[in-house]
Amino acid sequence: MAMAGWWFLIFVAVWWLPLPLTPVVAEEQQGEDCSDQKCGNINISDPFWLTDKDTGRSCSSDPYLDFDVACLNNSYPVLRSAIIFNKGFKILNISYQERSFYAVDLGKLNILQSSNSCLSQFYNTSIKLNHPFTIAPVNLNLILYNCTEKDGAAAAASRDRALAPTRVRCPNEWVVLARAGVPHDTTGNYSNYARKGCAAVVVPVLGSSSGASAGDYEQLFSDGFLLTWDPPPHLTIFPRSERRGKKIMLIGT
């Protein structure tokens, strides 16, 4: 009986030993510190993340899909969540403290540089944005008018001194004219700027461009505009140094 009691104590002692931490280590190895990542001259850090081309894994162990960034030609980052619409947004710089970044709508630049404008597709920049991102109200807007040649809509628009012609046109079908300096409307209501026979597309540009004319539209596109983002709502916000080796507590579904 005494020998059996000793074996029972040994079994209990072994059974209560702490479990190995291997699964936690493996989980941490799923990603690296994104603050070490760089694309061109721009640091990529939380909540943005890059996918490693060799491993196919995120540089973050807890990536947020809307903040997925591609490093094109190893020279500049592009927000991948908007790529389905005309090539997405090129990121010019990021302020992590202010949760904002400057971006260029590559789709609009692609239209300006297209050799066949008849195949171009026009979208409001705002519809390319996923929920976390917001066009900052300090931006102004450039409105592009796609005016049909029939019924004289294009001819009438061309006589408006507030509009400037662009190189974007489809011969005998339509032409595109631009209006600059339109204030940002948080509700997206620009009906006061509608023109008969013309489809309008709203493109945000820098608020500092208030002195620019519609004829500067190409430079306005290239200079980009300001976007802000909301913190990912489904995770408790910890500094990355506090996230190492621990799971993040979910606070919602």
Side-chain angles (χ1 to χ4, degrees), residues 6-245:
W6 278 108
W7 278 112
F8 175 77
L9 291 175
I10 293 174
F11 172 78
V12 171
V14 172
W15 187 76
W16 278 105
L17 284 176
L19 293 176
L21 298 178
T22 303
V24 176
V25 174
E27 178 182 278
E28 182 65 25
Q29 290 177 345
Q30 288 178 359
E32 302 172 359
D33 188 345
C34 287
S35 63
D36 296 332
Q37 301 293 316
K38 202 163 188 176
C39 178
N41 61 352
I42 299 178
N43 291 321
I44 305 300
S45 185
D46 282 342
F48 297 93
W49 55 278
L50 289 166
T51 299
D52 186 277
K53 293 182 179 179
D54 297 326
T55 64
R57 295 182 301 183
S58 162
C59 71
S60 170
S61 59
D62 50 5
Y64 320 123
L65 296 182
D66 291 328
F67 294 87
D68 183 7
V69 171
C71 189
L72 295 191
N73 303 319
N74 293 318
S75 60
Y76 61 88
V78 171
L79 194 63
R80 287 169 56 94
S81 61
I83 283 181
I84 58 173
F85 291 103
N86 301 117
K87 298 189 175 182
F89 295 116
K90 175 182 177 180
I91 298 175
L92 300 178
N93 59 57
I94 304 174
S95 172
Y96 291 97
Q97 289 184 337
E98 298 180 2
R99 294 205 301 266
S100 65
F101 62 101
Y102 287 93
V104 176
D105 188 339
L106 292 177
K108 302 302 185 298
L109 284 181
N110 185 52
I111 291 175
L112 296 182
Q113 300 164 358
S114 175
S115 59
N116 186 354
S117 297
C118 295
L119 300 179
S120 298
Q121 292 182 307
F122 294 82
Y123 299 97
N124 283 341
T125 297
S126 59
I127 73 167
K128 299 169 62 174
L129 293 171
N130 286 353
H131 175 70
F133 305 106
T134 303
I135 296 173
V138 296
N139 292 296
L140 292 175
N141 284 296
L142 188 74
I143 297 183
L144 299 178
Y145 294 96
N146 186 328
C147 302
T148 58
E149 295 277 11
K150 66 179 181 179
D151 301 329
S158 298
R159 292 192 293 269
D160 188 337
R161 293 186 178 182
L163 305 184
T166 71
R167 294 185 291 105
V168 184
R169 63 183 61 245
C170 183
N172 302 318
E173 294 288 337
W174 46 261
V175 299
V176 173
L177 299 98
R179 180 193 298 270
V182 177
H184 179 74
D185 189 317
T186 56
T187 67
N189 183 3
Y190 297 96
S191 58
N192 290 340
Y193 298 94
R195 292 191 64 93
K196 184 179 180 180
C198 302
V201 172
V202 180
V203 185
V205 295
L206 293 179
S208 59
S209 66
S210 57
S213 68
D216 300 320
Y217 65 92
E218 291 191 55
Q219 187 60 51
L220 292 174
F221 283 176
S222 299
D223 290 342
F225 60 99
L226 184 64
L227 283 164
T228 61
W229 76 81
D230 296 323
H234 62 290
L235 296 177
T236 302
I237 305 301
F238 291 109
R240 175 163 285 277
S241 60
E242 296 182 19
R243 283 200 254 171
R244 290 183 177 277

